[in-house]
Amino acid sequence: MPYIDESPTMSPQLSARSQGGGDSISPTPPEGLAHGVEAGKGLEMRKLVLSGFLASEEIYINQLEALLLPMKPLKATATTSQPVLTIQQIETIFYKIQDIYEIHKEFYDNLCPKVQQWDSQVTMGHLFQKLASQLGVYKAFVDNYKVALETAEKCSQSNNQFQKISEELKVKGPKDSKDSHTSVTMEALLYKPIDRVTRSTLVLHDLLKHTPVDHPDYPLLQDALRISQNFLSSINEDIDPRRTAVTTPKGETRQLVKDGFLVEMSESSRKLRHVFLFTDVLLCAKLKKASAGKHQQYDCKWYIPLADLVFPSPEESEASPQVHLFPDHELEDMKMKISALKSEIQKEKANKGQSRAIERLKKKMFENEFLLLLNSPTIPFRIHNRNGKSYLFLLSSDYERSEWREAIQKLQKKDLQAFVLSSVELQVLTGSCFKLRTVHNIPVTSNKDDDESPGLYGFLHVIVHSAKGFKQSANLYCTLEVDSFGYFVSKAKTRVFRDTTEPKWDEEFEIELEGSQSLRILCYEKCYDKTKVNKDNNEIVDKIMGKGQIQLDPQTVETKNWHTDVIEMNGIKVEFSMKFTSRDMSLKRTPSKKQTGVFGVKISVVTKRERSKVPYIVRQCVEEVEKRGIEEVGIYRISGVATDIQALKAVFDANNKDILLMLSDMDINAIAGTLKLYFRELPEPLLTDRLYPAFMEGIALSDPAAKENCMMHLLRSLPDPNLITFLFLLEHLKRVAEKEPINKMSLHNLATVFGPTLLRPSEVESKAHLTSAADIWSHDVMAQVQVLLYYLQHPPISFAELKRNTLYFSTDV
């Protein structure tokens, strides 16, 4: 859903469900969404959507009233000997406002009683259809918008009385609000109608989602949405972009195209910069701290005219100074602190805590989020001034790197001239950044409104089906990214489909979500040329063919059924399906009904049947990973293809003779995924339900000697098959971590992957006191990770020595 800025300085670009260039997402047809609606739940959601819209409609009507309030007295003085404005000026500034007000007042008065006296038979589609049919008034308003603003600005400059009126218009607060009035400028209020059509269109999308197809409102809402979308697309072509432009001292127009916060490597340290891309120049700035009573300003660090900007190819770029990478465990510690602080803030709010305490917690959370934002990006993005030096940014995703590169290259296709800005020109340009910027806040969750979605916690199942639209044959693959703690992480990768224009992957992945709100799909052409190595990170650079992003809307995703969609990217269409399993559902361990297999069967039963100390499945998967996967980047973190994992599961369960042959042919991530699935599906965790509370208490001990005593005693208390298998896995994971410089998997990374799998109890009723999935994540999972990390960081533990050494710790558990 597009973010619509309330500020009048933003470009008045109306946005439909999707807008922009080739990277936009094709809107999901509302019809498809409506089929899965359960009538009762859907109608309840309709009421919630309408109640929210009604509240915002009341605010909008109050804003229009505030705008109309000075019109009558201004008209009255226009015919006197001392007019404030002429009749023509008044009619230009307030053009069509009265008509828009009457349309919305009538709509509100008709909708309000329907929502207040709600029942399942209520119909209101005709009201939205009528509202959509009157959009011609908005067309007239938009056509006049630029002239209205210019007239208001000129009148303010030449008339002090009008300036005072236009700077402080009083807007009535909602009926149940404590604030009786707020002061708003005329410029800001004139922007409101431009914003409103988009809001109404988004509400129509939401209403259709929750309206059964056989409901009498359905065709009417569909019709209203069609009219609104057609109107928006016609308007977008006509709107003048002057609000995003700055005039240079020479009288030329320079427009802001893109801006955002990036991490720059400057003098061997990481600095957060706000980068502005104008039509002919890239400017890197730092936000100055505002002194008391003064506006915030930007300080220009450097700029490059686009005519002089080049991207060094991987083989041309000089090796960058060594970038200090933050250890994974420190980044995970920051996440842990952020999760804990989020929980504290929620508790304070629930208990109506003091606002000062909440602000203090929010400040701590911001500090940790800022550190995470600064230290987590590792993907190099280098730009070079052909007349001077290079600059290096670090990004968290290939997606961002591609977006910036494409935006710059698109502008460079125009006939650009090199130039040098005088100090005055640079001052004017930097001064304009504050007003023109479209990204206002550092992208951390503590900057978000409280009512914004907290994101999804659990598992997203994604099937990447196929892609088409390629102009020539290539070796193609896709990667999947989701956002986590404010930045994007690569979570899965399809196999390379060789020499084709229509790859058909049909590969399923299970992706863990930690407060995620978006899924990104990137489509690459695989490069096999070993000479094209990027000196910044020593990796061969594959070419991005297309990229797209989709919002993970809880209402759409949280159904038991698969939801199929198409993402459009640079003329390429990728078809995929997804469904979501919440964390509390995915936490349940279900014993297998078929005790002859190995999945979902007690480990003691399997080892006894096999006459082995460690289950055959564990030994074979570990052996295969150590043979050919120990240097694989992201081994155990990157998802294997779900269909491959299920095939391996079936073969192990049937004790098929072809196991070894199948293992040697199978993608290594699928083998790693099968091992994880085996431990996840054990009817009770490897470290047992009985000992779980004691592990949680032991890891929380502060005294190192007491902790050592307790943690070793707990291992000794495990049944022999569990203990021997755990020690076997422990040594394997340590060997994987030894290859961290190549496979990027540290002990902490491995503990994060395996901790919950080996410890998570089979019963989840104990979680009843926790209020949300985010709480479950921050309370239990972090402690489970810490338990495994403790043993991974411990010197080698021998089974014989452990059993022989009784120590002094004998408390029963």
Side-chain angles (χ1 to χ4, degrees), residues 258 262-265 275 277 282 302 309-312 317 320 323 378-384 390-398 400-409 534 536-537:
K258 181 177 173 64
L262 300 182
V263 174
E264 186 190 11
M265 284 303 297
V275 181
L277 174 61
L282 186 77
W302 51 264
L309 189 152
V310 285
F311 297 108
S317 71
S320 61
V323 175
T378 57
I379 293 176
F381 175 50
R382 184 182 291 282
I383 48 176
H384 184 69
S390 289
Y391 301 93
L392 176 65
F393 292 106
L394 295 174
L395 309 179
S396 66
S397 160
D398 217 358
E400 272 95 37
R401 177 165 63 180
S402 174
E403 275 189 323
W404 279 98
R405 188 188 287 266
E406 283 170 19
I408 290 167
Q409 285 172 338
N534 188 332
D536 285 323
N537 62 356

Side-chain angles (χ1 to χ4, degrees), residues 489-640:
V489 189
S490 183
K491 286 282 191 175
K493 179 178 169 183
T494 68
R495 68 184 185 279
V496 179
F497 218 100
R498 293 203 171 220
D499 199 23
T500 181
T501 55
E502 292 199 3
K504 287 185 171 57
W505 294 286
D506 287 321
E507 293 181 35
E508 184 185 332
F509 301 95
E510 184 183 76
I511 296 170
E512 189 163 6
L513 304 181
E514 301 166 19
S516 308
Q517 293 178 313
S518 303
L519 167 72
R520 286 174 171 177
I521 299 183
L522 294 95
C523 194
Y524 288 88
E525 179 180 357
K526 181 75 182 164
C527 173
Y528 290 105
D529 184 350
K530 292 276 170 59
T531 61
K532 297 198 170 179
V533 170
N534 188 332
K535 291 194 177 71
D536 285 323
N537 62 356
N538 208 29
E539 287 177 15
I540 293 173
V541 180
D542 294 337
K543 182 183 175 188
I544 292 184
M545 304 298 284
K547 63 188 191 316
Q549 178 169 314
I550 191 161
Q551 293 303 112
L552 296 174
D553 173 22
Q555 271 96 33
T556 307
V557 180
E558 286 181 340
T559 61
K560 288 174 184 170
N561 304 324
W562 286 96
H563 169 76
T564 303
D565 210 337
V566 173
I567 224 169
E568 287 205 45
M569 32 169 92
N570 299 357
I572 297 158
K573 290 183 179 180
V574 174
E575 189 185 340
F576 67 100
S577 300
M578 59 182 178
K579 70 175 178 179
F580 172 72
T581 313
S582 63
R583 189 177 285 287
D584 54 340
M585 288 303 293
S586 60
L587 288 175
K588 289 179 181 169
R589 293 179 184 269
T590 46
S592 172
K593 291 176 183 138
K594 185 182 158 198
Q595 288 297 299
T596 54
V598 292
F599 281 81
V601 179
K602 280 187 177 179
I603 198 162
S604 56
V605 173
V606 173
T607 50
K608 191 174 178 182
R609 188 202 310 142
E610 294 178 354
R611 295 182 184 157
S612 61
K613 290 184 175 177
V614 174
Y616 179 69
I617 181 174
V618 177
R619 285 180 284 128
Q620 287 307 321
C621 289
V622 162
E623 189 180 315
E624 204 62 37
V625 168
E626 293 198 0
K627 194 192 296 178
R628 59 190 178 92
I630 204 156
E631 294 188 350
E632 182 79 12
V633 174
I635 188 71
Y636 290 120
R637 181 176 57 79
I638 298 286
S639 301

Side-chain angles (χ1 to χ4, degrees), residues 80-103:
T80 65
S81 56
Q82 289 183 308
V84 179
L85 302 181
T86 66
I87 284 287
Q88 192 179 354
Q89 286 170 332
I90 295 165
E91 284 177 353
T92 303
I93 294 168
F94 297 97
Y95 185 66
K96 294 293 177 187
I97 299 290
Q98 184 70 44
D99 295 349
I100 291 172
Y101 170 75
E102 284 166 10
I103 288 167

